[in-house]
Amino acid sequence: EIVMTQSPATLSVSPGERATLSCRASQSVSSNLAWYQQKPGQAPRLLIYGASTRATGIPARFSGSGSGTEFTLTISSLQSEDFAVYYCQQYNNWLLYTFGQGTKLEIK
Amino acid sequence: EVQLVESGGGLVKPGGSLRLSCAASGFTFSSYSMNWVRQAPGKGLEWVSSISSSGSYIYYADSLKGRFTISRDNAKNSLYLQMNSLRAEDTAVYYCARVDDSSANPDYWGQGTLVTVSS
């Protein structure tokens, strides 16, 4: 089983600043890595897939990078609506998924 | 508009069973693979199960140990999750989600249905 580890657990950043979230896979997942955003009481929202491709309607301030076992989600200039929990998820095998434990992005 | 509406959650005793349903609309249900994902209170997301568009391919998280069964009825635009031998640790919000072919990831999610396993 592929284990996904996110860091940090909580990230405190001021609005307008850059946020960098990390995700590590226990073995290579190539570029089969997605990022989701979840706000309280809401379902998750797909942000990034293929490690770096933004999903439909996702603002350009969200960007993803990495391959293999190390991945990064960067939010270039934080808006108030970006404070949420972010999950990475691997899908290296079709229809088999593993999520990371999440990073809570909070207002500093 | 794509809509996924889960139902069937509720309070069940340990060892009991429950069947969740997900009614899909706004897209050609029979063309999409579907997932169940759960989230325990205050915890992260956990993938539960996937089923291909035709139902020919089915996958489960190892942690379920054969207690859950995913199925679908394409004629009724519906997805199901039969949950047996329920445990306290199965308490969670259960989401159904559509898998987008181009991204290979869930792109639309329902709002979830809460399952509580307690005596």
Side-chain angles (χ1 to χ4, degrees), chain A:
Chain A
E1 178 187 343
I2 300 174
V3 177
M4 308 301 293
T5 304
Q6 293 185 241
S7 62
T10 303
L11 182 62
S12 299
V13 183
S14 300
E17 294 190 339
R18 174 187 298 256
T20 302
L21 290 67
S22 297
C23 176
R24 174 177 293 178
S26 60
Q27 63 190 74
S28 177
V29 297
S30 186
S31 294
N32 297 311
L33 191 285
W35 290 94
Y36 291 84
Q37 176 194 69
Q38 188 180 33
K39 297 179 180 179
Q42 296 185 14
R45 174 192 183 195
L46 178 64
L47 298 175
I48 301 283
Y49 63 91
S52 60
T53 302
R54 281 189 300 277
T56 303
I58 302 304
R61 64 180 182 273
F62 291 90
S63 63
S65 63
S67 65
T69 62
E70 301 285 342
F71 301 90
T72 300
L73 174 69
T74 302
I75 310 171
S76 60
S77 178
L78 280 165
Q79 308 296 304
S80 58
E81 62 266 29
D82 299 335
F83 292 96
V85 180
Y86 291 83
Y87 296 93
C88 65
Q89 172 227 283
Q90 68 82 21
Y91 55 103
N92 200 45
N93 293 295
W94 183 57
L95 296 184
L96 292 171
Y97 305 90
T98 312
F99 289 93
Q101 80 279 19
T103 290
K104 182 180 181 180
L105 180 58
E106 63 177 27
I107 300 175
K108 186 175 182 180

Side-chain angles (χ1 to χ4, degrees), chain B residues 11 17 24 44 77:
Chain B
L11 176 63
S17 298
N77 292 338

Side-chain angles (χ1 to χ4, degrees), chain A residues 1 34 36 38 41-44 46 49 87 89 91 94-97 99-101, chain B residues 33 35 39 43-45 47 50 52 57 59 95 99 103-106 109-111:
Chain A
E1 178 187 343
Y36 291 84
Q38 188 180 33
Q42 296 185 14
L46 178 64
Y49 63 91
Y87 296 93
Q89 172 227 283
Y91 55 103
W94 183 57
L95 296 184
L96 292 171
Y97 305 90
F99 289 93
Q101 80 279 19
Chain B
S33 299
N35 283 356
Q39 187 168 36
K43 303 297 184 181
L45 301 170
W47 170 72
S50 300
S52 63
Y57 299 94
Y59 303 96
Y95 295 101
V99 178
S103 72
N105 282 282
W109 298 61
Q111 283 305 301

